[in-house]
Amino acid sequence: MAKKIFIDGKAGTTGLRIFERLENFKGIEIITLSEEKRKDLAARKEALNSADIAFLCLPDDAARESVSLIENDNTVVIDTSTAHRTDEAFAYGFPELSASHREKLKNSKRIAVPGCHASGFIALVYPLIEAGILSETENLSCFSLTGYSGGGKKMIAEYEDAERDVLLEAPRQYGITQQHKHLKEMKAISGIENAPVFCPVVAPFYSGMEVTVPIFKSMLKDGTTLDDIKNIYKEKYNGPIVNFKENNDEAGFISANAYSDLDTMEVSVFGNEDRIILTARYDNLGKGASGAAIECLNIVLNQDETTGLVIK
């Protein structure tokens, strides 16, 4: 019997990309609402409770509302909003972090898809905390460069306007109050006690993301070497979606859009024994959004987790 899937918020950037990916899936039936009904509470409630799997591609408050409307104990929720990423009742949708993360995701009825910036930071920091070579009490910083598509339809329209403001021609730092919505997730999931100093930057390219975490040797457990860090990543990230790559720069440069239109994430280590640069590159719309959501769906359906993904 075909699995019924409903996308609550299909008109948004993430919702549209999930819908496009699902069109090529076999064994599913997509529940759709007319334009007149897509914001109708009763219609949404009926669709949510009729679905085997419901994707929530909504603002946080609307996502919480959708969860509250579900009375069917068998409906699996895959929430792409920020609303439930630190909720212990929700599995965190980054199965590559550990066997326990994967197992919880596989068996959960409530799944939170990681945030785009947070995915890179957590991928880099979690393994070092887990291995005991980086203390959870360390004060960290994070620099993240992203394409403008992460800002949704409004920002996309601003950047693609032929008469756009000249200020949009250069990279723009934001989150300058240090209150970015991903910080809570970055802190909670990675296991650190203090949120990092976070410097996100949006640049005039459509999609792609590069997250960097700088580390001083003095921050690491005595005796830790650059190779130790590389080996930790090699052991953890060797799958088809997240993998460690060495010497993967472009002649001394690291392009933030190298993984645009792909669903893979590349983790790398640069620098020297004193000053180390940890980097994660991926697509903010791929492993940073709809690609991660589809990966979660594949695990729920107990099928190849790369189904519907573009893998490099």
Side-chain angles (χ1 to χ4, degrees):
M1 181 180 291
K3 293 288 185 180
K4 295 182 178 180
I5 297 179
F6 175 56
I7 305 171
D8 198 2
K10 184 169 75 71
T13 304
T14 299
L16 283 171
R17 289 178 71 93
I18 289 174
F19 179 74
E20 290 168 358
R21 292 168 185 268
L22 291 179
E23 286 186 307
N24 297 318
F25 269 60
K26 296 179 181 179
I28 68 166
E29 174 188 338
I30 301 177
I31 300 171
T32 59
L33 299 179
S34 67
E35 184 64 26
E36 296 76 23
K37 291 286 189 179
R38 70 182 181 85
K39 292 186 178 181
D40 181 85
L41 191 67
R44 287 173 53 223
K45 181 175 182 178
E46 181 179 354
L48 286 163
N49 284 283
S50 298
D52 294 299
I53 300 162
F55 286 96
L56 307 184
C57 304
L58 302 162
D60 290 359
D61 287 343
R64 294 186 186 97
E65 178 186 61
S66 290
V67 172
S68 73
L69 296 174
I70 298 174
E71 298 168 346
N72 182 351
D73 292 338
N74 293 317
T75 298
V76 175
V77 172
I78 301 178
D79 182 13
T80 69
S81 81
T82 314
H84 300 103
R85 290 175 185 159
T86 59
D87 186 333
E88 291 187 0
F90 278 67
Y92 191 70
F94 202 123
E96 293 86 1
L97 291 180
S98 71
S100 60
H101 282 87
R102 182 178 295 276
E103 190 66 19
K104 185 175 180 179
L105 193 163
K106 183 179 180 179
N107 296 303
S108 181
K109 300 292 186 183
R110 298 289 182 267
I111 298 165
V113 178
C116 55
H117 296 288
S119 293
F121 178 82
I122 292 164
L124 296 170
V125 174
Y126 180 92
L128 306 189
I129 299 290
E130 179 187 43
I133 67 168
L134 180 67
S135 171
E136 62 272 12
T137 62
E138 279 294 343
N139 291 312
L140 301 175
S141 62
C142 176
F143 176 85
S144 186
L145 184 59
T146 182
Y148 59 78
S149 58
K153 284 186 172 181
K154 181 180 178 181
M155 184 174 284
I156 292 171
E158 290 174 346
Y159 272 90
E160 297 186 349
D161 186 339
E163 299 181 0
R164 61 184 176 270
D165 191 312
V166 68
L167 294 178
L168 274 63
E169 300 297 330
R172 296 187 298 160
Q173 186 170 340
Y174 63 105
I176 55 178
T177 62
Q178 290 301 300
Q179 298 295 320
H180 193 283
K181 64 180 183 179
H182 288 184
L183 282 169
K184 183 179 179 182
E185 171 189 0
M186 292 161 76
K187 174 176 176 286
I189 306 301
S190 66
I192 55 176
E193 293 185 2
N194 304 303
V197 175
F198 181 40
C199 303
V201 175
V202 60
F205 60 94
Y206 183 74
S207 70
M209 180 165 275
E210 177 195 336
V211 176
T212 298
V213 177
I215 298 286
F216 284 103
K217 182 177 181 178
S218 59
M219 300 166 69
L220 300 170
K221 181 180 178 181
D222 287 348
T224 301
T225 66
L226 200 65
D227 283 340
D228 290 334
I229 297 174
K230 292 177 180 179
N231 288 334
I232 288 170
Y233 289 149
K234 284 178 184 177
E235 183 175 349
K236 181 170 289 289
Y237 299 135
N238 51 33
I241 297 174
V242 183
N243 51 78
F244 172 79
K245 291 192 176 179
E246 195 163 2
N247 303 321
N248 205 41
D249 60 294
E250 296 90 34
F253 292 86
I254 308 174
S255 175
N257 71 349
Y259 282 73
S260 181
D261 295 327
L262 298 173
D263 294 307
T264 44
M265 174 186 284
E266 164 212 288
V267 172
S268 299
V269 180
F270 300 97
N272 54 54
E273 295 294 349
D274 295 318
R275 299 180 307 284
I276 301 165
I277 298 174
L278 313 175
T279 67
R281 292 196 291 179
Y282 48 105
D283 190 338
N284 56 290
L285 298 180
K287 183 59 173 169
S290 63
I294 294 297
E295 180 185 0
C296 292
L297 171 66
N298 289 332
I299 292 173
V300 168
L301 294 177
N302 196 30
Q303 64 186 17
D304 185 335
E305 62 194 68
T306 66
T307 301
L309 302 183
V310 181
I311 302 299
K312 179 180 178 180

